[in-house]
Amino acid sequence: MPYHPMMIQPMRDEVTRLGVKELTTVAEVDAVFGDHHGTALVFVNSVCGCAAGMARPALAKAMQHAVKPDVSYTVFAGGDVDATARARSYFSDFQPSSPCFMLIKDGEMAQMIHRHEIEGRNADMVAGALIAAFDAHCGVTA
Amino acid sequence: MMHHENRGELHGITVVMTGISGKTYMGRFHEETPRGVAMRDLGVHDPAVSEHDLATWVGRARKFGVPVEHRMLLVPADEVGVCVRLAEWAPV
């Protein structure tokens, strides 16, 4: 059952104010995942403070890095259940995890930063992992 | 932020717990009580039946995520062994 919208709105806002586009419906997910070229970051946002409480500030820090994905999206697990499931369905080899970051390159999963790589770490450490992923997969290629 | 009661430093953390039986439990640590350790969204490695050896099983979880077989499970107190964070797990 989804959480009450009023409860999770501040957590959505914390991400969308970074310029990350929120995908709330299956149709929106299909529109951007169906035939995607280039690099995209998908942040699976969630309520749990154990990990998401660090993931969102980490995302804010990482988005200041010079090298970034072409586009950034977010879905909210526990909020937009169908959209989240649809986004995950594109990468069915990977187990559902929230929060998590999915870095996609030309429609393929380039790197996933799972919940277990977020929880127990501070925002700087998680941001460092994100930035390393950006540098590895989003840089200019010769 | 979800409010969590004080359930200890591992609450909400993805852990690998070695069972006395030889099974290994991997998932989110919920809480420890006198009856055992409650875990959420976990998989269980049983060397007698699992497709992969333990190191491979954990390695795959690190890359692809934890294979969830149980939404919640109480690992009995007499089964609880060593418990470490998944991020820190290393084969013995």
Side-chain angles (χ1 to χ4, degrees):
Chain A
M1 176 187 294
Y3 289 96
H4 193 286
M6 283 181 60
M7 177 187 170
I8 63 176
Q9 191 59 49
M11 302 166 202
R12 295 181 187 273
D13 294 344
E14 193 176 346
V15 175
T16 55
R17 72 182 175 215
L18 302 173
V20 179
K21 179 175 171 48
E22 193 166 42
L23 306 174
T24 60
T25 68
V26 168
E28 287 177 345
V29 170
D30 284 344
V32 300
F33 279 43
D35 184 26
H36 188 269
H37 298 282
T39 54
L41 179 72
V42 181
F43 172 50
V44 180
N45 201 353
S46 80
V47 169
C48 180
C50 299
M54 286 300 110
R56 289 187 293 269
L59 178 61
K61 289 173 183 280
M63 293 299 279
Q64 297 175 35
H65 187 55
V67 178
K68 289 188 294 249
D70 299 328
V71 289
S72 301
Y73 301 109
T74 182
V75 292
F76 205 115
D80 303 313
V81 177
D82 293 341
T84 302
R86 189 64 157 201
R88 287 169 170 159
S89 74
Y90 279 87
F91 309 102
S92 56
D93 287 345
F94 291 81
Q95 301 289 334
S97 172
S98 62
C100 73
F101 297 96
M102 299 188 285
L103 186 57
I104 298 157
K105 188 169 188 176
D106 295 332
E108 302 289 331
M109 181 77 78
Q111 187 172 340
M112 184 164 179
I113 297 176
H114 296 272
R115 175 195 170 95
H116 72 257
E117 297 171 277
I118 299 169
E119 60 196 15
R121 296 184 168 146
N122 64 37
D124 285 336
M125 295 167 75
V126 178
L130 265 174
I131 288 168
F134 292 172
D135 285 339
H137 302 290
C138 305
V140 176
T141 54
Chain B
M1 179 181 297
M2 177 178 283
H3 296 285
H4 297 286
E5 300 90 297
N6 183 15
R7 291 193 168 106
E9 64 174 311
L10 285 178
H11 173 71
I13 301 294
T14 306
V15 298
V16 178
M17 180 188 294
T18 304
I20 302 300
S21 67
K23 293 180 181 177
T24 302
Y25 306 85
M26 177 166 47
R28 282 187 289 124
F29 189 105
H30 183 60
E31 64 178 346
E32 184 168 16
T33 72
R35 294 175 57 217
V37 171
M39 297 178 67
R40 290 185 181 275
D41 296 332
L42 68 152
V44 181
H45 180 269
D46 183 342
V49 298
S50 291
E51 178 184 359
H52 301 290
D53 62 32
L54 181 60
T56 302
W57 185 70
V58 175
R60 287 181 59 81
R62 280 184 169 149
K63 180 174 181 181
F64 295 107
V66 176
V68 176
E69 300 168 39
H70 306 277
R71 281 293 168 205
M72 189 158 193
L73 186 73
L74 180 72
V75 181
D78 61 1
E79 167 70 349
V80 173
V82 175
C83 183
V84 298
R85 295 170 187 244
L86 171 58
E88 298 170 354
W89 184 89
V92 177

